[in-house]
């Protein structure tokens, strides 16, 4: 099955996608992570992407659609994908539908993690990402404990877009461009809403039961 994890910045999409990869036989596709990888290569394209990300704006649809085309083309991922942070506007959602048809795949469900703005600001300002292993933690809600984290604490960093100003801009972009997609997927009858303000494990349990209900 192919799944979209949907929600505002800091809703916990990446955290839940990582849990799903660990516990279910699925692959995570985070367009944000793929774009940050491109930035690391220090290319002209990477610099353009960085400028958009740091302003809290969306990267162009052409760049994103190209990334997704390559993923869907890859037989290794066939019908076992979790999309974290994609699609983000109506144009991307429509392109996605066309690509899925082209590669003979289907979207099983869209899971919306519903979290209020005050909570997501606190989550984002507390987020720590390991520059070595890529794991994500949180100063307030999910501190890096020895049994979960093996790297040196010096590798834990905040993302460059995790500052107060960019969070406001990201949230505004989300409200204007991405949130309207909920109606698009509700119309297709594949939208599931989850209260994303609960504990990470409780949310994961609910995701599991939604996926189990789709298999029966
Ligand atoms: P992206 O990297 O996708 O950022 P985002 O959508 O803003 O989402 P985040 O990664 O900030 O949050 P998350 O929901 O993954 O939360 P997480 O699990 O980390 O995109 C970055 C940028 O790239 C965009 O702004 C845009 O410029 C560009 N981009 C990406 N995709 C694009 C696309 N398709 N089109 C165009 N441009 C695109 O959790 C957050 C924190 O909270 C963590 O510290 C975590 O430990 C903690 N936490 C998680 N769950 C809980 C919980 N239940 N309770 C308490 N704390 C929790
Ligand atoms: Mg993320």
């Amino acid at each position: 099955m192919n799944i979209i994890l949907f929600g505002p910045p800091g809703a916990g999409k990446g955290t839940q996608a990582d849990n799903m990869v660990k516990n279910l036989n699925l692959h995570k596709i985070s367009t944000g992570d793929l774009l940050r990888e491109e930035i690391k290569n220090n290319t002209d394209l990477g610099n353009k992407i960085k400028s958009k990300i740091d302003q809290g704006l969306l990267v162009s649809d052409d760049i994103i659609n190209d990334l997704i085309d390559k993923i869907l083309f890859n037989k290794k991922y066939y019908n076992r994908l979790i999309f974290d942070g994609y699609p983000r506007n109506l144009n991307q959602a429509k392109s996605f539908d066309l690509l899925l048809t082209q590669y003979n795949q289907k979207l099983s469900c869209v899971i919306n993690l519903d979290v209020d703005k005050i909570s997501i600001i606190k989550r984002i300002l507390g987020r720590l990402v390991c520059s070595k292993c890529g794991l994500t933690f949180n100063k307030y809600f999910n501190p890096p404990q020895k049994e979960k984290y093996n790297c040196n604490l010096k590798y834990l960093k905040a993302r460059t877009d995790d500052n107060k100003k960019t969070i406001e801009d990201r949230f505004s972009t989300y409200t204007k461009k991405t949130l309207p997609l909920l109606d698009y997927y509700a119309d297709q009858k594949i939208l599931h809403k989850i209260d994303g303000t609960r504990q990470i494990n409780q949310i994961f349990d609910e995701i599991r039961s939604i996926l189990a209900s789709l298999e029966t």
Side-chain angles (χ1 to χ4, degrees):
M1 61 176 69
N2 291 318
I3 300 150
I4 291 177
L5 279 182
F6 193 96
K13 304 180 294 292
T15 301
Q16 295 301 333
D18 288 342
N19 275 345
M20 290 159 81
V21 168
K22 221 185 289 163
N23 293 285
L24 313 165
N25 180 22
L26 296 167
H27 305 277
K28 164 178 146 179
I29 302 301
S30 156
T31 39
D33 288 349
L34 293 172
L35 294 170
R36 282 184 286 276
E37 276 304 309
E38 187 62 44
I39 293 173
K40 277 193 202 154
N41 296 337
N42 222 346
T43 55
D44 278 355
L45 177 64
N47 292 335
K48 273 188 208 148
I49 291 171
K50 180 165 169 35
S51 153
K52 292 284 183 191
I53 289 185
D54 286 346
Q55 293 176 75
L57 298 171
L58 294 184
V59 171
S60 85
D61 291 342
D62 289 347
I63 294 175
I64 302 294
N65 291 340
D66 250 21
L67 287 174
I68 300 298
D69 193 327
K70 285 190 191 114
I71 302 286
L72 290 175
F73 174 76
N74 190 335
K75 293 208 167 55
K76 180 168 96 180
Y77 301 136
Y78 185 79
N79 260 335
R80 301 218 65 80
L81 289 165
I82 309 160
F83 292 91
D84 158 6
Y86 171 86
R88 296 226 189 197
N89 60 27
L90 196 57
N91 186 23
Q92 289 183 17
K94 289 185 173 165
S95 301
F96 189 35
D97 284 347
L98 292 175
L99 286 171
L100 286 167
T101 308
Q102 182 184 337
Y103 291 110
N104 193 26
Q105 299 192 46
K106 136 172 195 280
L107 182 58
S108 308
C109 69
V110 176
I111 298 179
N112 177 33
L113 301 174
D114 196 12
V115 185
D116 59 278
K117 189 174 170 188
I118 291 175
S119 304
I120 64 172
I121 291 174
K122 183 148 192 204
R123 284 186 188 181
I124 291 179
L125 291 177
R127 173 165 44 200
L128 294 166
V129 183
C130 178
S131 55
K132 210 169 171 209
C133 72
L135 284 177
T136 297
F137 297 95
N138 195 286
K139 269 190 243 178
Y140 313 114
F141 306 114
N142 184 23
Q145 291 151 334
K146 273 196 184 132
E147 58 276 17
K148 288 197 220 157
Y149 184 61
N150 299 320
C151 306
N152 192 305
L153 291 178
K154 72 178 181 196
Y155 293 114
L156 288 174
K157 307 248 159 64
R159 273 172 33 186
T160 61
D161 57 342
D162 283 356
N163 58 74
K164 272 192 181 148
K165 162 87 179 75
T166 313
I167 295 168
E168 285 293 339
D169 295 337
R170 284 157 65 192
F171 192 78
S172 153
T173 301
Y174 170 78
T175 310
K176 284 189 212 136
K177 310 268 181 181
T178 311
L179 195 58
L181 284 185
L182 286 183
D183 286 339
Y184 183 75
Y185 290 117
D187 288 347
Q188 294 184 21
K189 311 240 179 306
I190 53 171
L191 180 65
H192 298 258
K193 290 190 189 170
I194 290 189
D195 173 2
T197 60
R198 290 168 307 153
Q199 303 280 317
I200 292 172
N201 287 347
Q202 290 176 314
I203 297 167
F204 183 58
D205 286 346
E206 192 169 343
I207 291 176
R208 269 193 133 130
S209 62
I210 290 171
L211 300 186
S213 76
L214 298 176
E215 276 166 354
T216 54

